[in-house]
């Protein structure tokens, strides 16, 4: 969606500049869209008086006399602070962006219509129970009470789009849930890339280039700690799919979480940490809220467009997610004449152009990918079609039910039982409670496959990975492998994050007794396990130029910490970029740019000598070693980096080159406006550090558009001592003081508290209280 909405329209830029320069009222029009946060509002469909108290950081604390009004009030807060974001999310999932931005979004709309997230969302509604539907209906009523009011002023984005948000519906909420599942799902669209690499490299070298999870990397659950119950598995599960990694190297969608029990803490009670790694955006993906009613208290991050706390705590338990990444999608090549197809037709309305009629075909239990819209359809030969089968289009998805379950759960058994209705996307959920229990469960609908890899059902819920109070006293995940080899079911072959999990486990085990400060240090850790493994090659490298030797000398004394305030991080990533080009550009030829990524798993094996033959340049008669090209990489990095950052490497700073980019979905690529609507802040780390910050080789810079979307540390000895942070800010209104006020604090490792021990009658300093009265 981000790519689609980065407009390249000079006419739009011209319009914006004319408005900006020619109308002194534009600023005041945008300013007038800021929501009312004090005083009183009278609203329809509210049962009793409720209050939204926004603290000094803009965190919404909701106080209601019943659950209906609590969900309603969250809808009010979301509509006030994040309406445009919510609108983009539902339109993206429903394939309706073209209605707002024109034909630039047509391909994305056609893809989303084909995948059918919105169709599945509508079908899922009937599978929720009455309480769940009531919560979502109340939320929609709260959103609509704001945007339908006569005094409502739309956010700035709607000025340029010349439109207003449509009424919010329960189907929109279900679609937002589906969009999140889609963004975190296993990626069937890997398969064309794998096929192309197989054609280039052959099976033996492909297995090296896309290596499986290493034997020396941590696994989340030991066999002796597993408490899953295994019904009989189909035969030959281990052979259901080849053990290969992602075709594009380590995935950028990931997360960290870990939990330790009281034997490992100074307080004698558990500590739990979570930081989901997602695309950074302005506004951010999450919205912090605390929701209070006589029979509930829950706080944490909410997903705008939905009425529940996704990651957080109640008064008894806390939980955190990371993505499991199961293989839930398949592509199959079929002969057109051998399949029966069913066709539906949908109409895509396109702003400024004629409507587009889209014919969507279904066959063999999946959807046919049209070559006009999907690059993956290139896999098909003459007379063939590509059929995608995925769990994303399941119409009986009840994942939304977890929102109420999190409110009411008081024990691991409560949560585990409720998670049987959690269908997608599969998550590694760590758990802690005030009674000194810790646990883990990875719920979802995961396909069960036969020996040929065909779907024959799904892994039974009782067979999914789980543990309660493991003997090693902690559980940690970072998208790494979560089950031992004895686990009888196939989940995925694309485990990743093993450099992060190595460092996390090292830090957990190196500290005899943890507290919140040690957990902060772990979340903010920018030491790279992979960088430390690179240091011996640095020492052996022999650059030929004086500038290259200077870089090598600085890097050789390094400790592997990609701190934003030091030069070594920039030297290291500049060297790695050149080194990777020298390692496999000759092997991939014309396809090199397509597959040029950091490839951490592959590069580790090159660096440690296991894949040393890859260092030979096949285009020369000589036989180059890894030491040879390591020296050459220093020479080339010195040349490219000095052009950008000057001739004195000791004065370089990784953070100057490496900024977290919170791009606005509409104006992130528009000159002038991107500086106003997007947010940038220097950060350390890279894709292998616990404090993750991914960059792209092909982007031509070291900007980090992916990173920790929020951070949380839950202290079971004192829940109100728990710590939180997200960025860039709570508000999506560009002129709000809370639009970007958390970005620098997020980068610097600061945290805030979200306490549950105050009311609107005794708020902390700086709190603004809005009273909602029923009409």
């Amino acid at each position: 969606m981000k790519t689609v909405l980065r407009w390249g329209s000079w006419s739009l830029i011209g319009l914006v500049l004319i408005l900006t320069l020619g109308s002194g009222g534009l600023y005041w029009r945008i300013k007038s869209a800021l929501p009312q946060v004090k005083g009183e509002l009278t609203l329809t469909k509210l049962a009793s008086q409720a209050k939204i108290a926004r603290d000094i950081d803009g965190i919404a604390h909701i106080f209601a006399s019943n659950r209906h009004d609590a969900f309603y009030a969250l809808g009010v807060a979301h509509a006030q602070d994040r309406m445009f974001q919510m609108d983009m999310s539902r339109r993206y999932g429903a394939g309706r962006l073209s209605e707002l931005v024109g034909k630039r979004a047509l391909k994305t709309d056609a893809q989303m219509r084909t995948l059918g997230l919105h169709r599945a969302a509508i079908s899922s509604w009937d599978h929720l129970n009455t309480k769940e539907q009531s919560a979502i209906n109340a939320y929609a009523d709260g959103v609509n009470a704001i945007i339908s009011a006569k005094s409502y002023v739309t956010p700035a984005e709607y000025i340029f789009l010349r439109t207003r948000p449509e009424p919010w519906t329960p189907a929109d909420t279900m679609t937002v849930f589906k969009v999140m599942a889609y963004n975190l799902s296993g990626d069937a669209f890997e398969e064309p890339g794998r096929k192309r690499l197989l054609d280039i490299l052959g099976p033996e070298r492909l297995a090296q280039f896309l290596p499986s999870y290493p034997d020396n990397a941590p696994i989340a659950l030991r066999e002796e700690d597993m408490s899953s119950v295994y019904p009989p598995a189909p035969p030959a599960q281990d052979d259901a799919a080849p053990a290969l990694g992602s075709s594009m190297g380590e995935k950028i969608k990931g997360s960290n979480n870990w939990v330790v029990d009281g034997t490992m803490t100074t307080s004698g009670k558990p500590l739990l940490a979570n930081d989901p790694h997602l695309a950074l955006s302005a506004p951010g993906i999450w919205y912090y809220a605390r929701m209070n009613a006589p029979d509930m208290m829950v706080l944490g991050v909410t997903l705008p467009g939905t009425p529940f706390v996704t990651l957080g705590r109640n008064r008894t338990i806390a939980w955190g997610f990371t993505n499991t990444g199961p293989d839930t999608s398949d592509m199959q090549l079929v002969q057109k004449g051998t399949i029966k197809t069913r066709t539906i037709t949908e109409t895509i309305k396109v702003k400024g152009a004629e409507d587009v009629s889209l014919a969507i075909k279904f066959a063999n239990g999946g959807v046919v990918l049209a070559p006009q819209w999907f690059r993956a359809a290139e896999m098909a030969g003459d007379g063939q079609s590509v059929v995608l089968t995925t769990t994303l289009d399941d119409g009986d998805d009840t994942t939304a039910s977890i929102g109420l379950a999190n409110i009411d759960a008081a024990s691991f058994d409560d949560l585990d039982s409720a998670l049987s209705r959690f269908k997608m996307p599969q998550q590694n959920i760590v758990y802690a409670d005030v009674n000194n229990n810790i646990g883990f469960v990875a719920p979802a609908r995961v396909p069960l496959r036969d020996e040929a890899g065909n779907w024959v059902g799904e892994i039974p819920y009782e067979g999914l990975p789980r543990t309660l109070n493991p003997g090693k006293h902690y559980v940690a995940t970072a998208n790494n492998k979560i089950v031992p080899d004895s686990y009888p079911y196939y989940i995925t072959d694309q485990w990743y994050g093993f450099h992060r999990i190595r460092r996390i486990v090292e830090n957990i085990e190196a500290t005899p007794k943890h507290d919140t400060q040690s957990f902060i240090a772990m979340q903010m850790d920018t030491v790279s396990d992979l960088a430390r493994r690179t240091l011996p090659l640095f020492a052996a490298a022999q650059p030929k130029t004086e500038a290259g030797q200077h870089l090598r000398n600085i890097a050789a004394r390094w400790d592997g910490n990609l701190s934003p305030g030091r030069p070594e991080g920039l030297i290291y990533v500049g060297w790695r970029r050149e080194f990777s080009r020298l390692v496999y550009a000759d092997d991939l030829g014309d396809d090199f740019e397509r597959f040029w990524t950091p490839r951490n798993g592959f590069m580790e094996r090159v660096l440690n000598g296991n894949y040393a033959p890859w260092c030979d340049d096949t285009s020369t008669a000589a036989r180059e070693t890894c030491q040879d090209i390591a020296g050459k990489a220093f020479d080339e990095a010195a040349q490219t980096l000095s052009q950008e950052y000057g001739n004195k490497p000791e004065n370089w700073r990784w953070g100057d080159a490496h900024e977290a980019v919170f791009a606005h979905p509409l104006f992130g690529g528009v000159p002038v406006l991107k500086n106003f609507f997007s947010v940038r802040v220097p950060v350390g780390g890279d894709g292998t550090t616990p404090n993750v910050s991914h960059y792209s080789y092909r982007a031509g810079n070291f900007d980090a558009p992916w990173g920790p979307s929020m951070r949380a540390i839950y202290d079971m000895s004192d829940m109100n001592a728990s710590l939180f942070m997200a960025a860039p800010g709570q508000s999506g209104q560009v002129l709000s003081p809370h639009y970007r006020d958390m970005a620098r604090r997020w980068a610097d490792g600061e945290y805030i508290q979200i306490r549950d021990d105050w009311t609107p009658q005794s708020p902390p300093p700086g709190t603004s209280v809005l009273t909602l009265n029923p009409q």
Side-chain angles (χ1 to χ4, degrees):
M1 180 168 63
K2 183 190 301 183
T3 301
V4 171
L5 295 180
R6 284 184 176 176
W7 293 11
S9 170
W10 288 105
S11 60
L12 173 65
I13 297 170
L15 171 63
V16 170
L17 289 176
I18 290 171
L19 288 171
T20 303
L21 296 175
S23 174
L26 179 62
Y27 173 86
W28 298 109
R29 165 60 181 81
I30 297 174
K31 188 78 171 177
S32 67
L34 295 180
Q36 179 181 344
V37 296
K38 296 180 179 180
E40 299 186 1
L41 283 177
T42 300
L43 302 173
T44 60
K45 298 187 178 180
L46 182 67
S48 302
Q49 186 181 85
K51 295 180 184 291
I52 303 174
R54 289 177 171 88
D55 65 21
I56 195 170
D57 296 303
I59 310 301
H61 298 251
I62 292 168
F63 300 87
S65 59
N66 56 76
R67 291 192 178 193
H68 170 278
D69 289 353
F71 298 125
Y72 181 104
L74 182 62
V76 169
H78 281 174
Q80 288 184 314
D81 291 329
R82 298 291 188 93
M83 191 61 231
F84 181 71
Q85 178 187 32
M86 295 161 57
D87 201 357
M88 291 298 97
S89 184
R90 66 172 168 180
R91 285 182 176 274
Y92 173 67
R96 295 183 56 208
L97 289 172
S98 298
E99 296 177 17
L100 292 186
V101 303
K103 61 183 179 181
R104 298 171 188 84
L106 181 57
K107 183 174 182 179
T108 296
D109 282 352
Q111 291 175 343
M112 300 311 291
R113 297 285 186 106
T114 301
L115 295 176
L117 301 190
H118 186 62
R119 293 191 299 272
I122 293 173
S123 297
S124 296
W125 175 254
D126 291 336
H127 295 272
L128 298 181
N129 64 37
T130 301
K131 289 183 178 180
E132 293 154 0
Q133 290 181 347
S134 295
I136 294 172
N137 276 322
Y139 175 85
D141 288 340
V143 173
N144 291 328
I146 293 298
I147 65 176
S148 65
K150 292 182 179 179
S151 60
Y152 178 65
V153 179
T154 61
E157 292 88 348
Y158 290 102
I159 300 174
F160 307 112
L161 294 172
R162 292 173 292 169
T163 189
R164 294 175 62 87
E166 297 175 351
W168 194 263
T169 69
D172 295 329
T173 290
M174 302 302 289
T175 300
V176 172
F177 279 122
K178 285 288 188 181
V179 168
M180 176 60 82
Y182 172 70
N183 288 336
L184 295 175
S185 63
D187 194 355
F189 295 99
E190 288 280 343
E191 296 182 26
R194 284 190 183 189
K195 181 179 183 298
R196 179 57 185 155
L197 287 171
L198 177 62
D199 293 340
I200 298 170
L201 299 173
E204 183 177 349
R205 300 192 80 212
L206 177 66
Q208 294 180 348
F209 196 61
L210 309 181
S212 59
Y213 194 77
D215 293 335
N216 63 351
I219 298 174
L221 303 183
R222 305 179 305 177
E223 183 173 356
E224 58 266 37
D225 292 324
M226 292 277 283
S227 54
S228 303
V229 178
Y230 304 143
Q237 282 284 295
D238 290 341
D239 298 325
L244 296 174
S246 166
S247 66
M248 297 308 295
E250 182 169 335
K251 297 178 182 179
I252 55 177
K253 51 188 177 185
S255 304
N256 301 326
N257 65 17
W258 60 89
V259 60
V260 302
D261 70 19
T263 67
M264 300 185 69
T265 67
T266 58
S267 70
K269 291 287 188 176
L271 287 168
L272 186 152
N274 189 202
D275 55 292
H277 307 156
L278 298 167
L280 304 178
S281 60
I285 188 171
W286 304 115
Y287 182 90
Y288 277 118
R290 165 188 164 205
M291 302 172 67
N292 301 268
D295 61 344
M296 65 175 275
M297 196 299 298
V298 62
L299 65 82
V301 290
T302 63
L303 182 64
T306 71
F308 305 121
V309 169
T310 305
L311 305 169
R313 72 168 181 90
N314 59 31
R315 295 192 187 278
T316 306
I317 73 169
W319 63 92
F321 290 7
T322 67
N323 199 36
T324 313
D327 186 359
T328 57
S329 302
D330 282 342
M331 286 185 184
Q332 52 183 306
L333 289 174
V334 298
Q335 295 298 130
K336 292 181 179 178
T338 64
I339 58 173
K340 292 183 178 181
T341 61
R342 173 178 63 89
T343 303
I344 64 172
T345 301
E346 295 192 4
T347 299
I348 302 176
K349 295 185 179 298
V350 184
K351 185 176 183 178
E354 294 183 0
D355 294 351
V356 173
S357 180
L358 181 69
I360 304 170
K361 295 183 178 181
F362 302 87
N364 282 23
V367 63
V368 178
L369 302 184
Q372 182 180 2
W373 310 117
F374 291 90
R375 183 176 182 179
E378 296 173 359
M379 292 176 59
D382 292 341
Q384 291 181 319
S385 293
V386 174
V387 176
L388 175 70
T389 308
T390 175
T391 61
L392 287 169
D393 60 6
D394 287 347
D396 59 349
D397 182 11
T398 51
T399 300
S401 64
I402 190 61
L404 287 183
N406 287 341
I407 293 172
D408 294 323
S411 68
F412 182 78
D413 287 344
D414 289 345
L415 186 63
D416 191 13
S417 176
L419 287 172
S420 64
R421 302 185 69 214
F422 188 102
K423 301 301 182 184
M424 66 183 72
Q426 188 175 27
Q427 298 291 288
N428 305 317
I429 301 178
V430 294
Y431 165 95
D433 65 37
V434 296
N435 297 314
N436 211 18
N437 296 299
I438 68 169
F440 168 95
V441 62
R445 173 172 290 159
V446 182
L448 189 64
R449 300 169 183 271
D450 63 19
E451 58 186 9
N454 300 312
W455 293 9
V456 294
E458 61 185 74
I459 298 177
Y461 182 72
E462 61 271 21
L464 291 168
R466 59 169 52 75
T467 189
L468 177 63
N469 296 324
K472 66 179 181 179
H473 304 292
Y474 72 87
V475 180
T477 79
N479 316 111
N480 57 301
K481 188 175 180 180
I482 62 171
V483 289
D485 291 340
S486 58
Y487 184 69
Y489 303 111
Y490 173 76
I491 295 177
T492 183
D493 57 28
Q494 296 188 36
W495 308 108
Y496 59 107
F498 49 87
H499 293 106
R500 283 183 283 125
I501 196 61
R502 280 177 182 152
R503 179 63 178 169
I504 290 168
V505 168
E506 176 187 348
N507 286 331
I508 289 175
E509 296 183 347
T511 303
K513 296 291 183 179
H514 284 279
D515 56 20
T516 55
Q517 291 304 306
S518 69
F519 269 39
I520 289 174
M522 290 174 63
Q523 285 192 331
M524 298 306 299
D525 185 13
T526 52
V527 173
S528 168
D529 171 80
L530 180 58
R532 293 192 304 186
R533 294 168 187 266
T534 306
L535 297 180
L537 187 57
F538 280 0
Q542 297 295 321
K544 294 182 179 180
T545 67
E546 183 177 346
Q549 293 167 8
H550 188 33
L551 288 194
R552 189 275 316 273
N553 291 340
I554 295 175
R557 301 189 298 269
W558 184 40
D559 61 0
N561 188 346
L562 283 85
S563 168
R566 292 167 53 178
E568 296 94 341
L570 180 56
I571 294 171
Y572 166 69
V573 298
W575 175 87
R576 267 204 63 192
R577 181 174 62 181
E578 300 304 326
F579 184 75
S580 66
R581 185 197 302 272
L582 293 169
V583 168
Y584 60 89
D586 57 317
D587 300 279
L588 298 188
D590 293 340
D591 289 272
F592 170 70
E593 291 287 343
R594 175 182 175 184
F595 295 106
W596 189 30
T597 69
R599 299 196 173 276
N600 300 318
F602 168 69
M603 294 305 298
E604 177 182 319
R605 292 162 172 85
V606 173
L607 294 168
N608 67 21
N610 289 339
Y611 292 171
W614 283 81
C615 290
D616 179 43
D617 186 348
T618 59
S619 65
T620 68
R623 186 170 184 82
E624 291 84 4
T625 67
C626 292
Q627 288 79 8
D628 293 332
I629 68 167
K632 187 176 181 181
F634 273 119
D635 292 332
E636 296 189 2
Q639 181 178 358
T640 56
L641 293 176
S642 62
Q643 291 174 354
E644 183 72 22
Y645 306 106
N647 294 319
K648 294 184 177 180
E650 57 273 12
N651 294 336
W652 296 347
R653 297 293 179 265
W654 176 220
D656 292 343
H658 185 57
E659 292 186 315
V661 181
F662 298 87
H664 187 273
L666 188 64
F667 300 128
V670 179
V672 180
L673 286 182
K674 66 181 180 181
N675 298 326
F676 184 56
F677 282 92
S678 296
V679 179
R680 302 175 69 96
V681 61
V683 291
D686 71 355
T688 66
T689 57
N691 186 9
V692 77
S693 54
H694 292 282
Y695 56 85
S696 168
Y697 286 162
R698 291 174 293 170
N701 56 50
F702 297 115
D703 286 349
W706 287 74
S709 57
M710 61 83 77
R711 298 188 183 102
I713 297 172
Y714 303 94
D715 186 348
M716 297 298 107
S717 70
D718 179 3
M719 287 284 223
N720 280 320
S722 299
L723 301 171
F724 305 90
M725 182 52 66
Q730 273 283 96
S731 178
Q733 301 268 11
V734 68
L735 292 183
S736 167
H738 299 302
Y739 184 76
R740 64 185 75 224
D741 60 328
M742 287 184 176
R744 174 62 67 174
R745 290 185 286 168
W746 169 87
D748 290 344
E750 296 182 21
Y751 290 74
I752 62 173
Q753 291 182 348
I754 306 177
R755 304 180 65 90
D756 67 11
D757 57 357
W758 60 267
T759 69
Q761 289 71 43
S762 59
T767 301
S768 300
V769 180
L770 176 66
T771 300
L772 310 181
N773 294 314
Q775 190 172 41

